[in-house]
């Protein structure tokens, strides 16, 4: 149960960083690379973008990498949520309290 909760927390942090990076990029415009907070969020999601870019080389346009990354993170969040619910329903009493 601990591993599921920990993995779900990491996915949530990465997903929020990606969404925050997107929103801040819209607000900052063309000067987003000079924005300190955008740079910090970019550092957080850059490894995920590189991983998604490496999986299907050439199949995803570079401009769509953040969208693909966030889509995979949302799918992972749903899977981990279902696993957590399954553990709570089938687990021993007091596991999810």
């Amino acid at each position: 149960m601990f591993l599921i909760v920990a993995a779900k927390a990491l996915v949530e942090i990465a997903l929020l960083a990606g969404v925050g990076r997107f929103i801040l990029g819209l607000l900052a415009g063309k000067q987003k690379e000079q924005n300190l907070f955008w740079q910090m969020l970019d550092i957080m999601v850059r490894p995920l973008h590189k991983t998604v870019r490496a999986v299907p080389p050439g199949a995803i346009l570079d401009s769509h990498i953040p969208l693909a990354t966030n889509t995979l993170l949302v799918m992972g969040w749903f899977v981990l949520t279902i696993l957590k619910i399954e553990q709570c329903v089938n687990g021993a009493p007091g596991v999810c309290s």
Side-chain angles (χ1 to χ4, degrees), residues 17-70:
V19 170
R21 179 181 173 267
F22 172 74
I23 292 172
L24 192 56
L26 288 176
L27 293 173
K30 296 182 186 282
Q31 298 175 347
K32 62 186 174 191
E33 283 84 15
Q34 286 80 31
N35 188 309
L36 177 66
F37 296 106
W38 188 88
Q39 290 173 0
M40 288 190 312
L41 293 172
D42 188 52
I43 288 171
M44 291 174 68
V45 296
R46 194 178 308 146
L48 298 171
H49 291 299
K50 287 182 180 180
T51 303
V52 170
R53 183 175 286 126
V55 172
I60 301 176
L61 297 174
D62 283 344
S63 60
H64 295 157
I65 294 293
L67 178 64
T69 302
N70 285 344

Side-chain angles (χ1 to χ4, degrees), residues 2-4 6 16 20 25 29 36-37 51 61 68-70 72 76 80 83 92:
F2 173 75
L3 292 176
I4 294 172
L16 287 173
L36 177 66
F37 296 106
T51 303
L61 297 174
T69 302
N70 285 344
L72 290 173
L80 290 168
L83 288 174

Side-chain angles (χ1 to χ4, degrees), residues 1 83-97:
M1 181 65 155
L83 288 174
K84 182 180 176 186
I85 292 170
E86 196 173 284
Q87 287 286 323
C88 288
V89 170
N90 298 330
V95 170
C96 293
S97 58

Side-chain angles (χ1 to χ4, degrees), residues 2-16 77 80:
F2 173 75
L3 292 176
I4 294 172
V5 172
K8 187 172 175 278
L10 289 174
V11 167
E12 289 170 350
I13 290 169
L15 189 57
L16 287 173
W77 183 84
L80 290 168

